[in-house]
Amino acid sequence: MIEALRLDDRTRLDIETMAGGLVATIGSILRRHAACLLSDRDIDGTAVLRPVAELMPRLVAAGLLRDRTLMAALVRRARHDQIAAALPLLPTADGTSGLLLRLAGDTDADVAEAALALLGLDAHRREAWERGEAGPVDLPMELHAWLAWRVAAVLRADDGSAAVTRAVDRALAEATGRLLAGHDDDKTVDVVALGLAMTLDCGANDIVALLVAAIDDRRLDLFTALIAHALDIGMPDMRAIVIDPVGDRLWLALRALSVDRASLARIALALADADQRRDIDGFAVQLDAIAAVPAAEAAAILSPLALPAAFHAAIQATGSRPRW
Protein backbone atom coordinates (compact mmCIF):
# COMPACT_ATOMS: atom_id res chain seq x y z
CA MET A 1 0.00 0.00 0.00
CA ILE A 2 2.76 2.47 0.89
CA GLU A 3 4.53 1.80 -2.42
CA ALA A 4 1.25 2.09 -4.34
CA LEU A 5 0.69 5.60 -2.94
CA ARG A 6 4.03 6.73 -4.44
CA LEU A 7 4.93 8.62 -1.33
CA ASP A 8 8.12 10.58 -0.88
CA ASP A 9 10.77 9.10 1.37
CA ARG A 10 9.99 11.40 4.32
CA THR A 11 6.28 10.59 4.28
CA ARG A 12 6.95 6.87 3.92
CA LEU A 13 9.34 6.99 6.87
CA ASP A 14 6.87 8.97 8.98
CA ILE A 15 4.09 6.47 8.24
CA GLU A 16 6.28 3.50 9.10
CA THR A 17 7.40 5.27 12.30
CA MET A 18 3.82 6.08 13.32
CA ALA A 19 2.60 2.57 12.56
CA GLY A 20 5.55 1.06 14.41
CA GLY A 21 4.97 3.34 17.39
CA LEU A 22 1.29 2.44 17.55
CA VAL A 23 2.02 -1.28 17.38
CA ALA A 24 4.79 -1.06 19.99
CA THR A 25 2.64 0.98 22.39
CA ILE A 26 -0.41 -1.25 22.05
CA GLY A 27 1.73 -4.39 22.13
CA SER A 28 3.57 -3.36 25.29
CA ILE A 29 0.33 -2.62 27.13
CA LEU A 30 -1.37 -5.83 26.03
CA ARG A 31 1.69 -7.96 26.75
CA ARG A 32 2.08 -6.53 30.24
CA HIS A 33 -1.59 -6.95 31.15
CA ALA A 34 -1.83 -10.42 29.65
CA ALA A 35 1.35 -11.53 31.44
CA CYS A 36 -0.11 -10.39 34.78
CA LEU A 37 -3.30 -12.34 34.13
CA LEU A 38 -1.32 -15.44 33.12
CA SER A 39 0.90 -15.24 36.20
CA ASP A 40 -2.24 -15.67 38.32
CA ARG A 41 -2.68 -19.01 36.54
CA ASP A 42 0.98 -19.99 37.07
CA ILE A 43 1.83 -19.47 33.40
CA ASP A 44 5.01 -17.63 32.41
CA GLY A 45 3.89 -14.90 30.04
CA THR A 46 7.39 -14.37 28.64
CA ALA A 47 7.34 -17.92 27.32
CA VAL A 48 3.92 -17.82 25.65
CA LEU A 49 3.70 -14.22 24.44
CA ARG A 50 5.82 -12.91 21.59
CA PRO A 51 8.34 -10.13 22.27
CA VAL A 52 7.10 -6.68 21.24
CA ALA A 53 9.99 -6.38 18.77
CA GLU A 54 8.54 -9.23 16.72
CA LEU A 55 5.07 -7.75 16.35
CA MET A 56 5.60 -5.17 13.60
CA PRO A 57 7.43 -7.48 11.17
CA ARG A 58 4.69 -10.09 11.55
CA LEU A 59 1.92 -7.55 11.09
CA VAL A 60 3.61 -6.12 8.00
CA ALA A 61 3.89 -9.63 6.59
CA ALA A 62 0.18 -10.09 7.33
CA GLY A 63 -0.65 -6.97 5.29
CA LEU A 64 -0.93 -4.22 7.92
CA LEU A 65 0.55 -1.57 5.63
CA ARG A 66 -1.79 -2.59 2.82
CA ASP A 67 -4.93 -1.72 4.77
CA ARG A 68 -6.42 1.29 2.98
CA THR A 69 -8.29 2.74 5.95
CA LEU A 70 -5.26 2.68 8.25
CA MET A 71 -2.92 3.99 5.56
CA ALA A 72 -5.29 6.82 4.64
CA ALA A 73 -5.39 7.92 8.29
CA LEU A 74 -1.60 7.76 8.62
CA VAL A 75 -0.96 9.56 5.32
CA ARG A 76 -3.31 12.38 6.30
CA ARG A 77 -1.65 12.74 9.70
CA ALA A 78 1.91 12.55 8.33
CA ARG A 79 1.38 15.14 5.62
CA HIS A 80 -0.59 17.41 7.93
CA ASP A 81 2.25 17.31 10.49
CA GLN A 82 4.86 17.98 7.83
CA ILE A 83 3.02 21.05 6.59
CA ALA A 84 2.38 22.29 10.13
CA ALA A 85 6.05 21.93 11.03
CA ALA A 86 7.18 23.79 7.90
CA LEU A 87 4.76 26.72 8.12
CA PRO A 88 6.59 30.04 8.48
CA LEU A 89 6.24 31.53 11.95
CA LEU A 90 5.00 35.04 11.24
CA PRO A 91 5.02 37.82 13.84
CA THR A 92 1.65 39.19 14.89
CA ALA A 93 0.80 42.65 13.61
CA ASP A 94 0.72 44.14 17.12
CA GLY A 95 3.64 42.17 18.53
CA THR A 96 1.45 40.13 20.87
CA SER A 97 1.88 36.41 21.51
CA GLY A 98 0.58 33.78 19.11
CA LEU A 99 -3.10 32.91 18.77
CA LEU A 100 -3.16 29.76 20.87
CA LEU A 101 -1.25 31.36 23.75
CA ARG A 102 -3.65 34.31 23.69
CA LEU A 103 -6.63 31.94 23.75
CA ALA A 104 -5.08 30.02 26.65
CA GLY A 105 -5.19 33.24 28.64
CA ASP A 106 -8.73 34.12 27.62
CA THR A 107 -11.12 35.32 30.32
CA ASP A 108 -13.65 32.72 29.14
CA ALA A 109 -12.71 29.65 31.18
CA ASP A 110 -14.02 27.23 28.54
CA VAL A 111 -11.95 28.84 25.79
CA ALA A 112 -8.83 28.91 27.99
CA GLU A 113 -9.24 25.27 29.02
CA ALA A 114 -9.72 24.07 25.43
CA ALA A 115 -6.76 26.13 24.22
CA LEU A 116 -4.51 24.78 26.98
CA ALA A 117 -5.46 21.22 26.07
CA LEU A 118 -4.59 21.83 22.42
CA LEU A 119 -1.34 23.56 23.40
CA GLY A 120 -0.32 20.46 25.36
CA LEU A 121 -1.02 18.10 22.47
CA ASP A 122 0.68 20.45 20.01
CA ALA A 123 3.78 20.70 22.22
CA HIS A 124 4.02 16.92 22.26
CA ARG A 125 3.95 16.83 18.45
CA ARG A 126 6.49 19.62 18.10
CA GLU A 127 8.89 17.86 20.46
CA ALA A 128 8.72 14.83 18.18
CA TRP A 129 9.38 17.01 15.10
CA GLU A 130 12.41 18.61 16.77
CA ARG A 131 13.80 15.13 17.43
CA GLY A 132 13.30 14.32 13.75
CA GLU A 133 10.55 11.83 14.57
CA ALA A 134 7.00 11.47 13.32
CA GLY A 135 4.42 12.96 15.63
CA PRO A 136 2.00 10.75 17.55
CA VAL A 137 -1.18 9.68 15.77
CA ASP A 138 -4.64 9.42 17.29
CA LEU A 139 -6.79 6.79 15.63
CA PRO A 140 -10.58 6.88 15.84
CA MET A 141 -12.04 4.23 18.16
CA GLU A 142 -13.08 1.82 15.41
CA LEU A 143 -9.64 1.84 13.78
CA HIS A 144 -7.87 1.72 17.14
CA ALA A 145 -9.89 -1.39 18.04
CA TRP A 146 -9.17 -2.97 14.65
CA LEU A 147 -5.42 -2.53 15.22
CA ALA A 148 -5.51 -3.62 18.87
CA TRP A 149 -7.12 -6.97 18.03
CA ARG A 150 -4.52 -7.62 15.34
CA VAL A 151 -1.72 -6.85 17.74
CA ALA A 152 -3.31 -9.24 20.24
CA ALA A 153 -3.49 -11.92 17.57
CA VAL A 154 0.23 -11.78 16.77
CA LEU A 155 1.17 -11.70 20.46
CA ARG A 156 0.06 -15.35 20.68
CA ALA A 157 3.23 -17.43 20.52
CA ASP A 158 0.98 -20.45 19.83
CA ASP A 159 3.57 -23.03 20.89
CA GLY A 160 2.06 -24.32 24.13
CA SER A 161 -0.44 -27.01 24.95
CA ALA A 162 -4.11 -26.59 24.10
CA ALA A 163 -4.86 -25.61 27.71
CA VAL A 164 -2.08 -23.00 27.73
CA THR A 165 -3.22 -21.62 24.38
CA ARG A 166 -6.76 -21.20 25.70
CA ALA A 167 -5.42 -19.41 28.76
CA VAL A 168 -3.29 -17.13 26.57
CA ASP A 169 -6.26 -16.33 24.35
CA ARG A 170 -8.47 -15.51 27.33
CA ALA A 171 -5.77 -13.30 28.84
CA LEU A 172 -5.20 -11.42 25.58
CA ALA A 173 -8.92 -10.99 25.03
CA GLU A 174 -9.34 -9.57 28.53
CA ALA A 175 -6.29 -7.31 28.18
CA THR A 176 -7.52 -5.99 24.84
CA GLY A 177 -10.98 -5.37 26.27
CA ARG A 178 -9.46 -3.34 29.10
CA LEU A 179 -7.33 -1.35 26.67
CA LEU A 180 -10.30 -0.48 24.49
CA ALA A 181 -12.47 0.38 27.47
CA GLY A 182 -9.85 2.91 28.54
CA HIS A 183 -9.49 4.49 25.09
CA ASP A 184 -10.56 8.11 25.34
CA ASP A 185 -11.57 9.67 22.04
CA ASP A 186 -12.12 12.96 23.88
CA LYS A 187 -8.34 13.38 24.21
CA THR A 188 -7.47 13.07 20.52
CA VAL A 189 -6.12 16.16 18.77
CA ASP A 190 -9.08 16.21 16.37
CA VAL A 191 -11.62 16.25 19.19
CA VAL A 192 -9.67 18.80 21.24
CA ALA A 193 -9.17 21.14 18.26
CA LEU A 194 -12.85 20.82 17.29
CA GLY A 195 -13.83 21.46 20.90
CA LEU A 196 -11.89 24.72 20.85
CA ALA A 197 -13.48 25.71 17.53
CA MET A 198 -16.93 24.97 18.94
CA THR A 199 -16.19 26.93 22.11
CA LEU A 200 -15.07 29.94 20.05
CA ASP A 201 -18.12 29.53 17.76
CA CYS A 202 -17.14 32.64 15.84
CA GLY A 203 -19.22 34.51 13.27
CA ALA A 204 -18.27 35.16 9.67
CA ASN A 205 -16.17 38.23 10.44
CA ASP A 206 -14.34 36.67 13.38
CA ILE A 207 -13.47 33.43 11.62
CA VAL A 208 -11.48 35.11 8.87
CA ALA A 209 -9.19 36.76 11.42
CA LEU A 210 -8.94 33.51 13.40
CA LEU A 211 -8.04 31.47 10.31
CA VAL A 212 -5.26 33.88 9.35
CA ALA A 213 -4.02 34.00 12.95
CA ALA A 214 -4.02 30.19 13.19
CA ILE A 215 -1.91 29.90 10.03
CA ASP A 216 0.43 32.69 11.18
CA ASP A 217 0.81 30.84 14.51
CA ARG A 218 1.50 27.51 12.71
CA ARG A 219 -1.56 25.90 14.35
CA LEU A 220 -2.74 23.80 11.41
CA ASP A 221 -4.93 21.57 13.58
CA LEU A 222 -6.87 24.61 14.80
CA PHE A 223 -7.04 26.06 11.29
CA THR A 224 -8.49 22.76 10.06
CA ALA A 225 -10.91 22.48 12.98
CA LEU A 226 -12.21 26.03 12.54
CA ILE A 227 -13.20 25.30 8.93
CA ALA A 228 -14.53 21.83 9.75
CA HIS A 229 -16.78 23.18 12.50
CA ALA A 230 -18.00 26.17 10.51
CA LEU A 231 -18.93 24.05 7.47
CA ASP A 232 -20.01 20.95 9.44
CA ILE A 233 -17.42 18.77 7.68
CA GLY A 234 -15.73 15.86 9.46
CA MET A 235 -12.12 16.35 10.52
CA PRO A 236 -10.75 13.48 8.37
CA ASP A 237 -12.36 14.98 5.25
CA MET A 238 -11.27 18.49 6.18
CA ARG A 239 -7.72 17.33 6.86
CA ALA A 240 -7.62 15.70 3.42
CA ILE A 241 -8.77 19.00 1.90
CA VAL A 242 -6.14 21.04 3.75
CA ILE A 243 -3.21 18.80 2.74
CA ASP A 244 -4.30 18.49 -0.91
CA PRO A 245 -1.61 20.38 -2.88
CA VAL A 246 -4.07 21.26 -5.65
CA GLY A 247 -6.05 23.29 -3.14
CA ASP A 248 -9.27 23.79 -5.14
CA ARG A 249 -11.54 22.48 -2.38
CA LEU A 250 -9.67 24.45 0.29
CA TRP A 251 -10.18 27.71 -1.60
CA LEU A 252 -13.87 26.83 -1.97
CA ALA A 253 -14.09 26.13 1.76
CA LEU A 254 -12.47 29.45 2.57
CA ARG A 255 -14.74 31.32 0.16
CA ALA A 256 -17.74 29.56 1.74
CA LEU A 257 -16.64 31.36 4.91
CA SER A 258 -16.31 34.67 3.02
CA VAL A 259 -12.52 34.79 3.34
CA ASP A 260 -11.39 37.86 1.42
CA ARG A 261 -8.78 38.12 -1.35
CA ALA A 262 -5.94 39.37 0.87
CA SER A 263 -6.51 36.66 3.47
CA LEU A 264 -6.71 33.97 0.77
CA ALA A 265 -3.36 35.13 -0.57
CA ARG A 266 -1.77 35.19 2.89
CA ILE A 267 -2.95 31.65 3.67
CA ALA A 268 -1.91 30.34 0.24
CA LEU A 269 1.57 31.82 0.53
CA ALA A 270 2.12 30.28 3.96
CA LEU A 271 0.94 26.85 2.77
CA ALA A 272 3.10 27.09 -0.36
CA ASP A 273 6.15 27.89 1.80
CA ALA A 274 5.42 24.77 3.84
CA ASP A 275 4.52 22.44 0.95
CA GLN A 276 6.62 22.68 -2.18
CA ARG A 277 4.08 20.62 -4.13
CA ARG A 278 1.73 23.61 -4.29
CA ASP A 279 1.68 25.76 -7.42
CA ILE A 280 1.70 29.26 -5.99
CA ASP A 281 2.13 30.85 -9.43
CA GLY A 282 -0.94 29.02 -10.69
CA PHE A 283 -2.84 30.15 -7.62
CA ALA A 284 -1.84 33.77 -8.24
CA VAL A 285 -3.29 33.58 -11.74
CA GLN A 286 -6.59 32.22 -10.36
CA LEU A 287 -6.76 34.41 -7.24
CA ASP A 288 -9.17 37.00 -8.62
CA ALA A 289 -11.51 34.29 -9.92
CA ILE A 290 -11.37 32.41 -6.59
CA ALA A 291 -12.05 35.57 -4.60
CA ALA A 292 -15.06 36.31 -6.82
CA VAL A 293 -16.82 33.01 -6.03
CA PRO A 294 -19.96 33.85 -3.97
CA ALA A 295 -19.91 32.35 -0.48
CA ALA A 296 -23.30 30.68 -0.97
CA GLU A 297 -22.16 29.05 -4.22
CA ALA A 298 -18.96 27.74 -2.62
CA ALA A 299 -20.93 26.37 0.34
CA ALA A 300 -23.38 24.62 -2.00
CA ILE A 301 -20.55 22.90 -3.89
CA LEU A 302 -19.07 21.57 -0.65
CA SER A 303 -22.39 20.66 0.98
CA PRO A 304 -22.18 16.90 0.19
CA LEU A 305 -19.25 16.68 2.60
CA ALA A 306 -21.53 17.75 5.44
CA LEU A 307 -23.73 14.69 4.91
CA PRO A 308 -23.11 11.48 6.88
CA ALA A 309 -20.34 9.58 5.09
CA ALA A 310 -22.54 6.51 4.60
CA PHE A 311 -25.32 8.59 3.00
CA HIS A 312 -22.88 10.39 0.71
CA ALA A 313 -21.36 7.05 -0.35
CA ALA A 314 -24.83 5.60 -0.98
CA ILE A 315 -25.78 8.56 -3.20
CA GLN A 316 -22.62 8.06 -5.25
CA ALA A 317 -23.06 4.28 -5.42
CA THR A 318 -26.68 4.45 -6.61
CA GLY A 319 -26.04 7.15 -9.16
CA SER A 320 -28.65 9.44 -7.59
CA ARG A 321 -28.40 13.08 -8.51
CA PRO A 322 -27.66 15.20 -5.46
CA ARG A 323 -29.91 18.24 -5.04
CA TRP A 324 -27.23 20.79 -4.29
Side-chain angles (χ1 to χ4, degrees):
M1 178 64 181
I2 288 183
E3 290 75 10
L5 288 171
R6 297 177 184 174
L7 303 175
D8 59 89
D9 290 342
R10 172 60 194 274
T11 302
R12 184 181 293 106
L13 177 60
D14 283 352
I15 290 170
E16 291 174 350
T17 301
M18 285 190 292
L22 282 167
V23 167
T25 299
I26 293 171
S28 296
I29 294 170
L30 294 185
R31 196 174 191 277
R32 183 172 64 253
H33 287 177
C36 288
L37 292 169
L38 289 168
S39 67
D40 293 339
R41 298 163 189 161
D42 296 324
I43 298 174
D44 181 6
T46 60
V48 294
L49 297 170
R50 294 190 195 283
V52 172
E54 293 183 11
L55 302 182
M56 190 61 182
R58 287 180 177 274
L59 284 166
V60 170
L64 179 72
L65 299 184
R66 294 193 297 272
D67 181 81
R68 291 186 177 275
T69 304
L70 177 63
M71 288 302 101
L74 295 182
V75 168
R76 282 194 300 264
R77 187 71 256 182
R79 285 183 169 157
H80 199 270
D81 283 355
Q82 290 166 11
I83 293 170
L87 282 170
L89 184 58
L90 301 176
T92 57
D94 56 2
T96 58
S97 56
L99 172 64
L100 206 50
L101 281 173
R102 294 201 306 274
L103 293 175
D106 198 275
T107 54
D108 185 319
D110 290 335
V111 170
E113 182 180 355
L116 281 170
L118 187 56
L119 267 173
L121 291 174
D122 207 25
H124 190 26
R125 308 195 76 80
R126 290 173 191 272
E127 288 170 5
W129 299 336
E130 289 170 3
R131 294 193 301 267
E133 302 170 0
V137 59
D138 298 313
L139 296 179
M141 181 60 191
E142 184 178 350
L143 194 51
H144 181 77
W146 178 90
L147 181 58
W149 286 117
R150 275 153 184 77
V151 172
V154 295
L155 270 168
R156 306 166 74 243
D158 207 20
D159 57 0
S161 66
V164 169
T165 298
R166 285 195 299 271
V168 169
D169 287 347
R170 286 195 298 270
L172 285 169
E174 185 174 339
T176 305
R178 288 183 184 178
L179 173 71
L180 298 180
H183 183 74
D184 191 353
D185 271 341
D186 289 344
K187 293 181 180 177
T188 67
V189 67
D190 281 2
V191 172
V192 171
L194 267 177
L196 177 55
M198 292 172 66
T199 303
L200 292 169
D201 201 21
C202 44
N205 293 329
D206 293 331
I207 197 169
V208 176
L210 280 172
L211 287 169
V212 172
I215 283 290
D216 288 353
D217 198 26
R218 303 170 70 201
R219 307 295 179 176
L220 199 59
D221 283 310
L222 179 56
F223 175 82
T224 304
L226 286 166
I227 306 173
H229 172 60
L231 298 180
D232 198 22
I233 294 174
M235 279 292 281
D237 285 333
M238 197 64 241
R239 197 182 301 285
I241 289 172
V242 169
I243 67 173
D244 181 4
V246 175
D248 291 351
R249 292 181 300 167
L250 178 57
W251 312 139
L252 279 173
L254 294 176
R255 281 302 303 142
L257 299 175
S258 300
V259 175
D260 58 273
R261 186 184 187 281
S263 298
L264 283 169
R266 187 179 181 98
I267 291 168
L269 281 170
L271 290 173
D273 277 350
D275 185 356
Q276 300 304 310
R277 300 172 302 159
R278 293 176 187 264
D279 180 8
I280 191 61
D281 293 330
F283 171 81
V285 171
Q286 300 177 55
L287 178 55
D288 288 333
I290 293 170
V293 176
E297 183 179 326
I301 293 170
L302 291 172
S303 62
L305 291 175
L307 294 172
F311 186 29
H312 187 204
I315 291 172
Q316 292 181 313
T318 58
S320 301
R321 271 185 87 127
R323 296 172 184 168
W324 40 72

